[in-house]
Amino acid sequence: MREMECNLAYLEKPDGSVTLSHGQTKVISAVYGPVEVKMNKEITDKATIICILKPKIGMSAVKEKVMEKIVAKTCEQAIIASLHPRSAIQVVLQIVHDSGSLLSCLINAACLSLVHAGLPMRNMIVSVCCAVTNNDEYLVDPTIAEIQDCKCVLTFAFESKNLDIVSIFTSGLFTVEQYFQCLQLAKASAPDILNFQRQSVVKFLSKQTNDIEVDYQDIDE
């Protein structure tokens, strides 16, 4: 897997935000809500999860609309939406650079920004991308160059408690054996990403606590 970098509270105006990198793949995620929802999207017993994906250049196309739905449905499994009926929780994602495994990076960024926003959640979400090359080799977190030589790409999302599958998105052709091999590799890699997410949150909260203590010391003096 490629090196990951995370910066929580990257933006000031959203309720939660983060910039996340998987190698050279980089995205920004911002969460707004709960906020007022349009009448035609209102749900009486829970919040409406809305995802907006902005490409690096130009307008959103079919590819972005598909990923919007995947991220929104995945986030729905983590958020306790019933606590905020007749409202909306909006996740806005900006692609900074796509160097492969974009969907898993988007899902992980969305999860971290939801945590930063302080929204009630059942669990965290961790996503891993796997691919099978034309030579039947298995790759975890493949780059764009590596994906071009692959017969299939599978993106898994797991919940953090028992690593049960939350969502799967696949492209290309693969056998049942290849599917389960990719699933096994993704599950083996998920704890590392989950630990990175938790450490990023702990590091951010520790910094916030230290800043508050410094402010109190200034007041006492």
Side-chain angles (χ1 to χ4, degrees), residues 1-4 22-25 99-101 140-144:
M1 286 184 58
R2 295 172 293 175
E3 184 179 355
M4 298 178 67
H22 287 203
Q24 295 299 314
T25 299
S99 183
S101 304
V140 178
D141 191 29
T143 64
I144 281 186

Side-chain angles (χ1 to χ4, degrees), residues 54-91:
K54 299 181 179 181
K56 184 177 180 179
I57 300 173
M59 303 292 290
S60 296
V62 175
K63 178 182 177 181
E64 285 77 24
K65 294 299 181 183
V66 170
M67 287 194 285
E68 284 178 357
K69 290 184 177 180
I70 295 169
V71 175
K73 290 296 182 182
T74 302
C75 291
E76 281 180 10
Q77 303 303 312
I79 301 171
I80 307 177
S82 59
L83 295 180
H84 300 287
R86 299 179 183 274
S87 65
I89 296 171
Q90 190 176 73
V91 182

Side-chain angles (χ1 to χ4, degrees), residues 7-132:
N7 185 8
L8 286 161
Y10 183 73
L11 303 173
E12 293 183 0
K13 291 186 178 180
D15 296 299
S17 64
V18 66
T19 172
L20 181 66
S21 301
H22 287 203
Q24 295 299 314
T25 299
K26 184 175 181 179
V27 302
I28 300 171
S29 178
V31 170
Y32 301 86
V35 296
E36 186 178 355
V37 64
K38 292 182 179 179
M39 201 76 127
N40 62 338
K41 294 184 178 180
E42 183 181 271
I43 304 176
T44 57
D45 60 346
K46 64 178 182 179
T48 303
I49 312 300
I50 301 171
C51 180
I52 300 172
L53 176 58
K54 299 181 179 181
K56 184 177 180 179
I57 300 173
M59 303 292 290
S60 296
V62 175
K63 178 182 177 181
E64 285 77 24
K65 294 299 181 183
V66 170
M67 287 194 285
E68 284 178 357
K69 290 184 177 180
I70 295 169
V71 175
K73 290 296 182 182
T74 302
C75 291
E76 281 180 10
Q77 303 303 312
I79 301 171
I80 307 177
S82 59
L83 295 180
H84 300 287
R86 299 179 183 274
S87 65
I89 296 171
Q90 190 176 73
V91 182
V92 181
L93 296 157
Q94 172 69 58
I95 300 172
V96 179
H97 185 70
D98 179 11
S99 183
S101 304
L102 176 62
L103 180 56
S104 63
C105 188
L106 290 169
I107 293 173
N108 289 329
C111 173
L112 282 168
S113 59
L114 289 169
V115 172
H116 179 233
L119 290 167
M121 299 175 67
R122 298 181 183 87
N123 45 251
M124 294 179 70
I125 298 291
V126 55
S127 179
V128 184
C129 180
C130 293
V132 183

Side-chain angles (χ1 to χ4, degrees), residues 90-203:
Q90 190 176 73
V91 182
V92 181
L93 296 157
Q94 172 69 58
I95 300 172
V96 179
H97 185 70
D98 179 11
S99 183
S101 304
L102 176 62
L103 180 56
S104 63
C105 188
L106 290 169
I107 293 173
N108 289 329
C111 173
L112 282 168
S113 59
L114 289 169
V115 172
H116 179 233
L119 290 167
M121 299 175 67
R122 298 181 183 87
N123 45 251
M124 294 179 70
I125 298 291
V126 55
S127 179
V128 184
C129 180
C130 293
V132 183
T133 68
N134 293 322
N135 296 324
D136 292 330
E137 295 177 352
Y138 294 88
L139 304 174
V140 178
D141 191 29
T143 64
I144 281 186
E146 291 171 333
I147 289 174
Q148 290 176 351
D149 189 42
C150 290
K151 64 175 71 175
C152 62
V153 179
L154 300 87
T155 301
F156 300 89
F158 306 97
E159 52 85 22
S160 59
K161 293 181 181 178
N162 302 309
L163 292 183
D164 292 330
I165 297 175
V166 173
S167 66
I168 307 172
F169 181 76
T170 67
S171 62
L173 301 175
F174 50 88
T175 64
V176 174
E177 180 183 353
Q178 288 171 337
Y179 167 80
F180 282 107
Q181 183 63 30
C182 286
L183 175 59
Q184 184 178 353
L185 287 171
K187 271 197 172 184
S189 302
D192 292 335
I193 300 177
L194 185 58
N195 287 335
F196 171 81
Q197 291 179 337
R198 287 171 173 165
Q199 288 172 6
S200 298
V201 174
V202 170
K203 183 178 178 181

